[in-house]
Amino acid sequence: MSGPNPQGHNWSRKSDDEEDPLDQMILRTGCAAFHYAVQECMAEHQDWRKCQQQVQTFKECMKEHQKQRMEELQKRQRLAQTKS
């Protein structure tokens, strides 16, 4: 191939009103404030090592959410089994 590709990469940019699926998922967990704190710290310091407190807090929140979700799924499975 000679010369630059006139098409380039086909990166589709999302509009401002279109939510990122990852952001939507994090919002549903109730841990969004902790996630934003990690993002803000990273933007400020550009070094994840300086953001360990924020990372740990976010991790603990997500772990608790996953635990609650697992308990809810197990409860639903038990209910479904008793109805069968």
Side-chain angles (χ1 to χ4, degrees), residues 43-60:
E44 180 181 344
H45 298 289
Q46 301 289 307
D47 185 351
W48 64 271
R49 293 169 293 188
K50 294 181 180 177
C51 301
Q52 287 306 293
Q53 181 180 356
Q54 292 85 346
V55 170
Q56 190 63 33
T57 305
F58 176 58
K59 179 180 174 182
E60 289 171 8

Side-chain angles (χ1 to χ4, degrees), residues 7-13:
Q7 296 276 326
H9 289 287
N10 188 15
W11 297 101
S12 61
R13 295 195 60 93

Side-chain angles (χ1 to χ4, degrees), residues 7-66:
Q7 296 276 326
H9 289 287
N10 188 15
W11 297 101
S12 61
R13 295 195 60 93
K14 295 182 180 185
S15 63
D16 290 339
D17 59 342
E18 190 177 344
E19 284 283 334
D20 179 15
L22 179 63
D23 286 340
Q24 290 177 349
M25 187 274 304
I26 292 172
L27 281 171
R28 288 191 298 268
T29 67
C31 299
F34 301 116
H35 180 252
Y36 297 140
V38 171
Q39 288 182 321
E40 288 175 15
C41 182
M42 287 296 296
E44 180 181 344
H45 298 289
Q46 301 289 307
D47 185 351
W48 64 271
R49 293 169 293 188
K50 294 181 180 177
C51 301
Q52 287 306 293
Q53 181 180 356
Q54 292 85 346
V55 170
Q56 190 63 33
T57 305
F58 176 58
K59 179 180 174 182
E60 289 171 8
C61 182
M62 289 299 292
K63 186 175 179 180
E64 182 62 30
H65 170 74
Q66 289 173 336

